[in-house]
Amino acid sequence: MNIETLRWSEGRLEMIDQRVLPSQFRYLPYTNAAEVATGIRDMVVRGAPAIGVAAAYGVALEALQQQHQTIEQFTQAIHRGLDVLAASRPTAVNLFWALKRMRQRWVAVSNPEPHTDSPAAIAQALLAEAHGICAEDIAINRAMGAHGEKLLKNGARVLTHCNAGALATAGHGTALGVIRSAVAAGKKISVIADETRPFLQGARLTAWELVQENIPVTLITDNMAGHLMAQGDIDAVVVGTDRVSANGDVVNKIGTYMLAVLAHRHRIPFYVACPLSTIDMTILSGKDIPIEERHIDEVRGFRNLHWAAEGVAIRNPAFDVTPADLVTALITEKGVVSQPNEQRLRELFRSN
Ligand code: MRU
């Protein structure tokens, strides 16, 4: 099954509603930047690369909707669209990376004389840029998969966290892309997916994706990982990331740090699949990356069911920081970076 997380259809964006998977499979339509920003905030679409692609389409939609306005009104609307999208979620840097690309395209098509091009022509250029970002994301994931699959042995039992699959990207996935590529290369791979409290991306999304493709997958709760590692049931951990700082620290779904510490203790390789668009060389260390705090409802229960004691204080940080020294390697579209550090990441960008 080819999972189309986002698709362009009849002049609008459609996104799989990831809040209701796997019990329902439905697309929701989007026609402007504010709607897309709400879809990102509410996690209709989630996963760093998919958020970036959605935001790019959000800008294009806003431009298409405003293309019959005066150039001044059009310009103001695009600025507002960029701002509302940038405020949707703080941690995944792909969001800001994609918005920067859209802004650069906007400037480029408006040059050399600002405001000489028509809103309609600018809107078409922005739509083409969004389509380009979407197509590139799939190609990047396939390239990461080709590099990363070499790290997995035939028969490997691979633990993954959250969902870093097709649903978190425009297609193929980052961490699950590595696994898909290993399977496509003829290796027998089995996956252990932890459920990933509180939003259950592992239980609902990763398990669903892998079941669709007949890739063997076993679900565990988050607190079972240490036991399985101690029993010798895990050969490698592969996760995605929302932002990597210049020193190689990895910010990813809450609980990733715990897995990295456990993997280190049990001498299990800990790999992070990471497109270059997820590396933020402007932030030197993971502790300076903004960590989103989400609504306490996600922790006190699930959907309408609340199981926590009334009145209890609740925290809900959505991401954590795994220090670079716990990372065996970053898997990028340009190759594998072992024991990432600032020098190695700078070299990676220099050779870009
Ligand atoms: O809160 P989410 O579901 O958007 O968090 C997603 C993750 O943490 C993923 O692991 C990360 O974005 C990498 S996705 C290819």
Side-chain angles (χ1 to χ4, degrees):
M1 181 190 182
N2 189 21
I3 298 166
E4 266 190 301
T5 303
L6 320 91
R7 66 183 184 199
W8 188 254
S9 173
E10 296 173 7
R12 62 188 195 176
L13 175 67
E14 294 181 340
M15 302 198 286
I16 296 175
D17 186 353
Q18 299 193 30
R19 299 166 306 177
V20 298
L21 273 173
S23 53
Q24 276 185 66
F25 181 88
R26 68 178 184 205
Y27 279 94
L28 297 179
Y30 293 84
T31 59
N32 63 40
E35 284 175 8
V36 174
T38 303
I40 293 172
R41 187 174 307 111
D42 294 348
M43 292 174 70
V44 169
V45 67
R46 30 67 49 200
I51 290 172
V53 176
Y57 277 116
V59 178
L61 283 168
E62 192 65 33
L64 288 167
Q65 202 170 71
Q66 303 288 337
Q67 62 184 321
H68 303 301
Q69 305 293 335
T70 65
I71 191 71
E72 288 76 20
Q73 288 166 329
F74 175 81
T75 302
Q76 279 171 11
I78 302 296
H79 278 302
R80 273 199 307 274
L82 287 164
D83 288 348
V84 77
L85 286 159
S88 58
R89 288 190 80 187
T91 304
V93 74
N94 305 60
L95 171 71
F96 307 101
W97 172 90
L99 292 178
K100 186 173 169 193
R101 246 183 85 164
M102 295 303 281
R103 195 180 286 112
Q104 283 169 344
R105 186 76 193 122
W106 180 26
V107 170
V109 289
S110 305
N111 277 339
E113 289 294 314
H115 302 175
T116 52
D117 224 332
S118 72
I122 296 172
Q124 286 309 319
L126 291 177
L127 179 60
E129 190 70 6
H131 285 325
I133 289 172
C134 184
E136 272 171 40
D137 185 55
I138 300 174
I140 286 167
N141 293 336
R142 290 195 181 282
M144 270 190 304
H147 291 299
E149 70 89 2
K150 297 189 178 70
L151 300 169
L152 301 181
K153 291 198 198 78
N154 188 25
R157 297 155 301 173
V158 181
L159 174 69
T160 191
H161 185 59
C162 193
N163 171 268
L167 286 167
T169 63
H172 196 66
T174 60
L176 291 193
V178 169
I179 289 162
R180 282 196 168 93
S181 296
V183 171
K187 291 177 195 166
K188 207 167 154 262
I189 303 288
S190 53
V191 177
I192 296 95
D194 62 22
E195 62 181 357
T196 316
R197 282 278 296 140
F199 198 66
L200 304 177
Q201 290 94 330
R204 298 187 303 106
L205 309 178
T206 296
W208 179 78
E209 268 196 57
L210 295 175
V211 166
Q212 303 300 305
E213 288 183 34
N214 290 321
I215 297 176
V217 54
T218 302
L219 179 65
I220 60 170
T221 62
D222 298 351
N223 49 2
M224 294 175 186
H227 175 66
L228 264 66
M229 288 187 190
Q231 300 260 85
D233 290 343
I234 312 267
D235 300 304
V237 180
V238 185
V239 296
T241 169
D242 288 81
R243 198 183 303 212
V244 170
S245 54
N247 67 348
D249 290 349
V250 168
V251 167
N252 191 46
K253 179 52 52 194
I254 191 78
T256 303
Y257 171 50
M258 208 163 67
L259 291 175
V261 172
L262 282 168
H264 182 73
R265 159 84 186 177
H266 296 285
R267 297 193 168 80
I268 295 168
F270 184 88
Y271 299 119
V272 180
C274 167
L276 263 58
S277 56
T278 306
I279 302 175
D280 185 350
M281 294 304 282
T282 69
I283 292 198
L284 295 183
S285 145
K287 68 177 172 13
D288 297 322
I289 294 176
I291 301 289
E292 178 182 15
E293 285 265 354
R294 291 188 62 83
H295 199 280
I296 59 170
D297 274 355
E298 291 177 356
V299 173
R300 85 169 131 207
F302 190 70
R303 297 195 181 131
N304 295 326
L305 180 64
H306 289 177
W307 53 68
E310 257 333 291
V312 66
I314 294 174
R315 286 284 310 272
N316 187 12
F319 301 94
D320 60 25
V321 184
T322 297
D325 64 345
L326 295 177
V327 177
T328 310
L330 293 183
I331 302 164
T332 78
E333 66 269 38
K334 290 186 63 196
V336 172
V337 182
S338 298
Q339 292 160 328
N341 58 29
E342 187 168 346
Q343 190 198 339
R344 289 180 180 173
L345 292 188
R346 294 215 180 273
E347 273 163 24
L348 185 71
F349 280 96
R350 259 198 296 278
S351 59
N352 199 10

